[in-house]
Amino acid sequence: MTDSTHGILSQILDYANRANPYPLYERLRETPVFHDGEGPYVISTYYDIQSLLHDPRLSSDSRNLAAGSGDPLAGSEGEEATALPPSFLKLDPPEHDRLRRMTNRPFGPPHSPHRVDGMRDGLRGIVTGLIDNLGDTAEIDLVDQFAYPFPVTMICQLLGVPREDEARFHVWADTLAASLDPDPDADSAERERATHDSRMELGMYLAGLIEERRKAPGDDMLSQLAAGNGPDDSMSTMELLSTAALLLIAGHETTVNLITNGMLTLLRNPDVLGQLRREPGLVVPLVEELLRFEPPVQLLPQRTPLVDIEVRGVTIPKGSSMWLILASGNRDPARFKDPDRFDPYRKDIQHLGLGSGVHSCFGAPLARLEAQLALSELARRLENPRLLEDPPPYRQNAVLRGPRHLRISCDGIRS
């Protein structure tokens, strides 16, 4: 450990560095396997992270974490003590594989190859409606008015939440999102009470909806999950509740950050914004470069070796806490040329922005489509958009990093 890396973990977690953590990641890569003697082992280089994401000796199940591991991000990914079992995101094979396989049957290939693409028109309609209702163009908050409501409305449609119940679903989602990103100046007891109440209300609502779908199935994803009809039989009600909650939180939070980071990056690179307006097809590689350049999930904490493992000559003991810094790997000059430059024409973008291995992002096809539609329509319809503050205020969360507000103005909204 060098002087330059001493205390670097506390600096990464320090809100003062939230707007630009990348110089810290650059320093961290000087010690590819970093350990301060007490906290987690931190892996920051591309090829090491990529290898570990495919290593079956690494566990995502926090129950394998040794007591006293000293991880300052314990519970940071939104998992709280609840009556629900862990989602498959927090399980290892074979339990992970069974639940993910059942969840994927009504969502993607090979059983439901057209699910995501079939949502394209509906998603475009949501985007159009939100842009139409942005209101006063002198000051627009793209987070509150666009990036937050978009994915929640989509998840309601995906799960089959009736239109008349969407407003309630939005309130629960907003409250649970706030619990992942607590305001240090807010009343913590009040926040915990509101979070608990929202979890209970959401759980009771989903349980009732599941029973309705079992009696009268529709073509929505929740109906198909409740029906089962696969080689793994069907999920229990508790497993269904846990999976539905995962789709709500994981699908919502990452998409908000992806869209917001995307618009911030475009507004900081007006030449690219102009190119996107002229070349709508550019949005596909642009989103991939965005996932490399400003990934919505910066790091994966609480990964745990099931046996002693060696990385770069360093032995990491069984049960230790490990952090995989995805955002650092995405800016590793040993893997990407000129990594601190945003270049949508980059030829090789095998990024870590959606993870890799058995825990690669389940909703990746949908997240990509949402970001592509959102960014291309914002670029096309907003006339001369510009930032009102840069850097914008960021969320507290170091894992799910993104602006809490993105205030812009524009000269008008095209039809």
Side-chain angles (χ1 to χ4, degrees), residues 389-412:
E389 54 183 334
D390 191 13
Y394 274 77
R395 303 167 63 183
Q396 295 289 329
N397 203 309
V399 177
L400 303 171
R401 174 182 167 272
R404 176 59 191 90
H405 299 283
L406 188 64
R407 297 183 178 91
I408 71 165
S409 65
C410 66
D411 294 341

Side-chain angles (χ1 to χ4, degrees), residues 21-349:
Y22 297 102
L24 295 174
Y25 297 154
E26 182 179 2
R27 287 165 48 198
L28 192 60
R29 288 192 297 271
E30 297 172 5
T31 309
V33 182
F34 173 74
H35 185 235
D36 64 5
E38 297 178 354
Y41 289 80
V42 182
I43 315 299
S44 56
T45 54
Y46 178 92
Y47 291 107
D48 292 327
I49 295 170
Q50 177 78 335
S51 176
L52 288 166
L53 287 171
H54 290 263
D55 194 328
R57 300 172 299 171
L58 210 62
S59 171
S60 297
D61 191 333
S62 60
R63 292 171 293 189
N64 290 316
L65 191 66
S69 62
D71 191 335
L73 282 179
S76 66
E77 293 172 290
E79 301 257 333
E80 297 183 15
T82 67
L84 293 180
S87 67
F88 63 77
L89 188 67
K90 289 291 190 177
L91 295 174
D92 298 329
E95 294 86 356
H96 161 274
D97 297 349
R98 178 182 70 88
L99 290 171
R100 179 166 177 143
R101 191 162 52 238
M102 287 197 297
T103 307
N104 192 64
R105 286 182 69 85
F107 183 73
H111 305 287
S112 304
H114 305 297
R115 166 73 75 178
V116 172
D117 192 61
M119 298 177 69
R120 185 180 296 271
D121 289 344
L123 292 172
R124 184 176 286 110
I126 298 170
V127 168
T128 297
L130 289 169
I131 295 176
D132 285 345
N133 290 299
L134 285 176
D136 184 2
T137 58
E139 181 171 340
I140 299 167
D141 185 343
L142 278 179
V143 177
D144 286 349
Q145 295 175 249
F146 184 86
Y148 255 100
F150 177 31
V152 180
T153 303
M154 177 280 302
I155 290 170
C156 286
Q157 294 185 4
L158 182 68
L159 293 179
V161 174
R163 290 295 295 270
E164 61 268 22
D165 291 343
E166 282 191 16
R168 298 167 63 196
F169 216 80
H170 276 254
V171 173
W172 292 326
D174 288 347
T175 303
L176 295 178
S179 74
L180 299 182
D181 191 46
D183 181 348
D185 297 325
D187 185 325
S188 59
E190 174 61 23
R191 183 181 66 244
E192 290 174 7
R193 184 197 62 75
T195 300
H196 176 269
D197 290 350
S198 287
R199 284 182 181 277
M200 292 294 293
E201 291 170 13
L202 176 63
M204 292 172 64
Y205 174 82
L206 287 173
L209 194 60
I210 288 167
E211 288 308 307
E212 289 180 16
R213 293 297 181 267
R214 281 178 169 153
K215 295 174 183 175
D219 60 358
D220 55 87
M221 190 169 169
L222 196 60
S223 292
Q224 293 172 277
L225 286 173
N229 301 322
D232 298 297
D233 198 10
S234 60
M235 292 185 190
S236 68
T237 297
M238 296 301 285
E239 288 172 336
L240 259 173
L241 286 172
S242 180
T243 300
L246 172 65
L247 294 174
L248 170 63
I249 298 298
H252 182 224
E253 290 302 295
T254 53
T255 305
V256 171
N257 285 347
L258 180 57
I259 293 171
T260 310
N261 285 331
M263 275 308 295
L264 177 60
T265 301
L266 287 172
L267 291 169
R268 287 172 169 171
N269 294 270
D271 55 331
V272 178
L273 179 61
Q275 290 168 352
L276 176 59
R277 189 176 294 118
R278 295 188 297 272
E279 306 172 44
L282 181 63
V283 76
V284 175
L286 185 147
V287 167
E288 296 309 305
E289 172 69 345
L290 178 62
L291 284 162
R292 181 198 72 83
F293 188 74
E294 286 277 26
V297 179
Q298 292 273 293
L299 61 108
L300 299 177
Q302 293 179 259
R303 296 311 188 257
T304 310
L306 298 171
V307 296
D308 292 356
I309 64 173
E310 185 175 303
V311 181
R312 297 273 190 128
V314 176
T315 298
I316 302 177
K318 171 185 176 180
S320 300
S321 177
M322 296 176 64
W323 291 3
L324 307 182
I325 313 292
L326 304 179
S328 174
N330 278 345
R331 300 268 189 127
D332 188 348
R335 175 61 183 82
F336 297 103
K337 183 179 179 181
D338 198 6
D340 293 321
R341 182 168 66 91
F342 180 71
D343 179 10
Y345 295 100
R346 191 180 294 273
K347 298 300 182 185
D348 180 15
I349 321 179

